[in-house]
Amino acid sequence: MVYKMLVLNIDGTLLQDNGRINKMTREAIDFAQSKDIKVILATSKNFPAAKRVAKTLKVDNHIVSHQGGYIAKELNKPVYVNRIHEKITSEITTFLESFSCQIKLVHEQFSLGNKVKLPENILAKVVFQRTSRFSYSEQYVDHLSEKLQEEPVSPPKIEAIFENKGNLSDAKKAIEEMYDEVICIEVGDKRLDIVAAGVSKLNGVKYLCEQYGIKRDEVVAIGAGIDDLPLVQWAGLGVAMGNAPAIVRSEANWNTRTNNDNGVAYMVKEHFRKQYKLEFLKKINVLK
């Protein structure tokens, strides 16, 4: 099979646990792009954070960010954006404040969150992503719902990190029963991403495939999170990182090594080593 697109999650896939990208991973992405393969980042991260990763990797394609709610090459020039209405954002925020949880309204230009005391092992995942204060503002307020009454926000994504799985399940069930306009995506045992109905990494990748004229069986997708599962199941070659949850690894076509053991580099070298450049295959009429 000749592959034309490589879709990559960021956290737990491209990034090691220390938040860095290994040199071997960067070289593997260069190698894939040298074969004329479109490398697409599909992530729950905000667009500016994802764009920084793309620049590090020298990838200049559209980015599927905010769980698929914001697709763009450059900030303020999205080819697709689907926001949560400001009224629903306000209502869901008020509801989430009844739980002990970190709430973040993740806009493409800023994030707005509540000040809350949670165990350090939970909060560590919230502040893990360092952002430049010059490029992306992160503001925390005492009463988020009151702030929204003064300044309404319509973000592509709402993020909530709970103290325990039980609270997450209760909140997810209630939100899904109250609103048809949004869907809830579990990112882990304690984190819930809320996006507009119809939004997902998978739908974002499908949108780009239509734009580029790339078929499903020509797509390789590598993921590490439970939110990557639909994409891994759909892709022509779905790949799970060694650090992915068991359900993702069991549903993947191929399992690679962990993010700390250069799993992306290992997979790319194994599967793309023998593939000729797409431009060459077109010249010899193997590809149309």
Side-chain angles (χ1 to χ4, degrees):
M1 185 62 215
V2 175
Y3 297 111
K4 298 180 180 179
M5 179 182 285
L6 174 62
V7 182
L8 297 152
N9 177 36
I10 294 179
D11 290 320
T13 302
L14 289 168
L15 297 185
Q16 297 180 306
D17 289 347
N18 62 10
R20 297 178 180 175
I21 300 176
N22 187 277
K23 180 182 177 182
M24 289 180 65
T25 300
R26 294 197 300 270
E27 291 174 347
I29 301 307
D30 285 342
F31 180 73
Q33 293 196 118
S34 74
K35 303 275 188 174
D36 303 322
I37 293 163
K38 285 196 176 296
V39 176
I40 301 295
L41 305 187
T43 178
S44 64
K45 286 183 176 294
N46 64 70
F47 180 81
K51 184 65 176 179
R52 283 196 297 276
V53 173
K55 285 184 176 179
T56 298
L57 295 171
K58 298 178 182 177
V59 171
D60 191 31
N61 297 317
H62 288 96
I63 297 169
V64 179
S65 60
H66 298 259
Q67 288 287 9
Y70 194 90
I71 304 174
K73 272 190 179 182
E74 298 295 336
L75 187 64
N76 298 325
K77 294 181 180 179
V79 295
Y80 174 87
V81 59
N82 196 342
R83 304 182 186 281
I84 305 171
H85 191 276
E86 59 188 38
K87 181 176 182 294
I88 294 175
T89 298
S90 178
E91 291 174 358
I92 290 176
T93 298
T94 300
F95 170 72
L96 288 173
E97 284 179 334
S98 65
F99 294 88
S100 177
C101 68
Q102 170 79 68
I103 309 165
K104 289 178 76 174
L105 311 181
V106 188
H107 194 274
E108 69 273 14
Q109 294 179 325
F110 62 88
S111 74
L112 182 62
N114 63 331
K115 294 178 182 177
V116 62
K117 291 183 179 180
L118 290 176
E120 286 299 318
N121 65 322
I122 296 176
L123 278 180
K125 292 187 177 181
V126 181
V127 300
F128 181 74
Q129 173 194 307
R130 297 291 181 184
T131 54
S132 167
R133 61 191 176 93
F134 298 109
S135 62
Y136 191 78
S137 168
E138 292 192 359
Q139 182 183 0
Y140 294 89
V141 297
D142 291 317
H143 303 289
L144 192 52
S145 56
E146 291 181 9
K147 177 72 172 178
L148 291 180
Q149 289 177 7
E150 302 168 5
E151 300 176 29
V153 175
S154 182
K157 187 184 78 161
I158 300 171
E159 181 181 297
I161 298 181
F162 298 83
E163 281 197 46
N164 57 66
K165 171 72 173 175
N167 284 346
L168 181 150
S169 299
D170 291 343
K172 179 183 177 184
K173 181 180 178 183
I175 291 170
E176 289 178 336
E177 288 176 351
M178 288 189 290
Y179 300 99
D180 293 328
E181 298 90 343
V182 299
I183 58 171
C184 298
I185 301 171
E186 292 190 42
V187 182
D189 287 341
K190 299 184 175 85
R191 177 175 151 192
L192 193 67
D193 281 359
I194 303 162
V195 294
V199 166
S200 69
K201 291 181 185 178
L202 173 56
N203 285 341
V205 170
K206 285 181 176 179
Y207 175 87
L208 291 182
C209 283
E210 289 179 7
Q211 303 301 306
Y212 294 136
I214 293 175
K215 300 173 184 175
R216 171 181 180 177
D217 59 4
E218 296 172 330
V219 177
V220 178
I222 310 179
I226 193 68
D227 55 323
D228 294 314
L229 181 57
L231 185 53
V232 168
Q233 291 171 322
W234 173 85
L237 179 63
V239 180
M241 298 293 291
N243 48 290
I247 181 63
V248 180
R249 286 184 277 116
S250 67
E251 290 292 313
N253 303 115
W254 207 78
N255 280 214
T256 188
R257 298 169 181 171
T258 68
N259 59 325
N260 292 328
D261 195 25
N262 302 311
V264 169
Y266 177 69
M267 183 275 155
V268 168
K269 298 261 174 90
E270 283 289 309
H271 281 271
F272 293 104
R273 181 165 40 93
K274 295 180 181 180
Q275 180 169 310
Y276 289 102
K277 290 184 68 170
L278 297 183
E279 192 62 36
F280 172 75
L281 294 175
K282 288 176 184 176
K283 285 181 180 179
I284 62 174
N285 296 321
V286 173
L287 288 180
K288 294 182 180 180

